[in-house]
Amino acid sequence: MKPVLVVLGRGEVPYDTPVLHANDLGVVRGDGVFETLNVRGGRPWLLDEHLARMARSAQRLELPLPSRDELVQLAEQACASWPADVEGALRLVCTRGRETGGPVTCYATLNPISPQILRMRREGIRILTASLGFAAEARKAAPWLLGGAKSLSYAVNMASQRWAANQGYDDVLWVSADGYALEGPTSTLVWLSGDELCTVPTDTGILAGTTARFLLDHAAERGWRAAERMVRPAELETTDGAWLVSSARGIAAIREIDGRKLPESPHDAALRSLAGFPN
Ligand code: PLP
């Protein structure tokens, strides 16, 4: 399936069209916000939730986002001729624009879900814990750290994943300096403890994951209660299942943390079907 590129104010353009100037602040400062949405049945899933989070991120960066209607139109244009049977990852990007001033730069791309991600869903993941270097409470009093904002400054996120890959692991679980599990560099931690489906509270400065929120909001359909609480990585070894989840990733079962195996969860299929990812 050919990837799609739509630029705000220009419409769809060939995918290899250059859309950024050399002094775009998104490039030279990582100054902007983005969202990645799951496209299923030819439609963006949880569009409202993603646009609401994008607006919150933009507010934290004091970035003038285009109107909601313009962003909806951008998403719809990108999906317009995408086949219903191909799952996709739709990325909405908005940078602060050129260093010399002027409007924001805003565009959308749509790509099929990568084979690497499909493998993670199928086989589960082996992960390493890695400290973010500050306490779980630290970001509450430090808004400049942009906790909870999905900014374009993802170099640390990517470096974390490369660090794990270089040691033969699939991903990272970030932990606070005081030893609590936080999130993955591109995913939210979800675990099942008895009949409680849990995730980490967002006041720790983690990104408020739309996939985890959906799972917790629908937990009752599987007879589970929803809870937000702090957890230490070692505790995950004795839960009834632990997963890293995201809009692109879907539901990836954690099979190993820091070399210690987690038992296969009997609830894997139930969680997976709750979120309705096609694969
Ligand atoms: N946490 C971080 C840091 C992320 O980058 C992402 C997604 O990209 C997530 C969590 C999961 O969020 P969502 O479920 O909305 O895709």
Side-chain angles (χ1 to χ4, degrees):
M1 193 57 218
K2 276 203 350 225
V4 177
L5 169 61
V6 179
V7 182
L8 192 79
R10 285 167 70 183
E12 185 171 350
V13 295
Y15 192 73
D16 56 1
T17 307
V19 294
L20 295 175
H21 288 96
N23 64 349
D24 193 291
L25 288 163
V27 173
V28 296
R29 298 287 192 214
D31 192 358
V33 297
F34 77 107
E35 283 295 321
T36 305
L37 293 82
N38 186 263
V39 172
R40 46 172 76 172
R43 307 282 312 150
W45 187 54
L46 303 179
L47 179 61
D48 286 347
E49 289 81 349
H50 282 279
L51 290 179
R53 186 171 68 189
M54 196 172 193
R56 285 198 305 275
S57 299
Q59 209 171 24
R60 280 176 203 177
L61 270 75
E62 298 176 37
L63 181 87
L65 205 60
S67 72
R68 189 182 177 283
D69 284 354
E70 286 173 298
L71 293 171
V72 168
Q73 205 189 0
L74 192 71
E76 298 209 322
Q77 279 178 319
C79 296
S81 43
W82 194 259
D85 60 344
V86 179
E87 189 189 355
L90 171 67
R91 193 179 280 154
L92 304 178
V93 180
C94 183
T95 84
R96 201 178 296 276
R98 300 180 73 172
E99 203 164 23
T100 40
V104 297
T105 306
C106 188
Y107 60 91
T109 59
L110 176 54
N111 285 271
I113 300 289
S114 73
Q116 188 203 2
I117 280 180
L118 295 176
R119 180 187 64 76
M120 288 189 192
R121 288 186 193 172
R122 243 186 356 258
E123 298 175 7
I125 50 176
R126 299 166 54 246
I127 64 173
L128 290 176
T129 57
S131 174
L132 264 188
F134 44 72
E137 293 277 309
R139 285 187 285 193
K140 276 187 195 165
W144 58 88
L145 291 179
L146 296 180
K150 197 163 168 68
S151 85
L152 287 172
S153 305
Y154 259 45
V156 167
N157 306 48
M158 298 299 104
S160 300
Q161 291 186 327
R162 273 196 307 277
W163 174 78
N166 288 341
Q167 296 170 78
Y169 284 82
D170 299 304
D171 210 337
V172 158
L173 175 62
W174 278 335
V175 293
S176 62
D178 44 347
Y180 292 104
L182 294 173
E183 64 182 335
T186 60
S187 58
T188 311
L189 174 67
V190 169
W191 70 98
L192 189 66
S193 183
D195 68 349
E196 255 185 1
L197 188 66
C198 308
T199 194
V200 175
T202 52
D203 65 4
T204 53
I206 64 164
L207 190 73
T210 56
T211 314
R213 184 73 269 149
F214 180 90
L215 291 168
L216 265 69
D217 286 348
H218 291 79
E221 292 170 29
R222 296 288 179 273
W224 300 327
R225 289 175 297 135
E228 290 186 16
R229 63 161 109 110
M230 305 304 287
V231 68
R232 294 183 186 275
E235 294 171 50
L236 295 171
E237 292 168 34
T238 56
T239 57
D240 299 289
W243 298 267
L244 288 183
V245 306
S246 83
S247 307
R249 173 84 54 96
I251 314 282
I254 303 174
R255 298 256 181 267
E256 196 181 308
I257 304 180
D258 293 338
R260 286 186 298 279
K261 296 235 180 314
L262 269 62
E264 204 161 314
S265 171
H267 306 286
D268 198 58
L271 189 73
R272 220 169 265 286
S273 64
L274 187 57
F277 285 90
N279 292 287

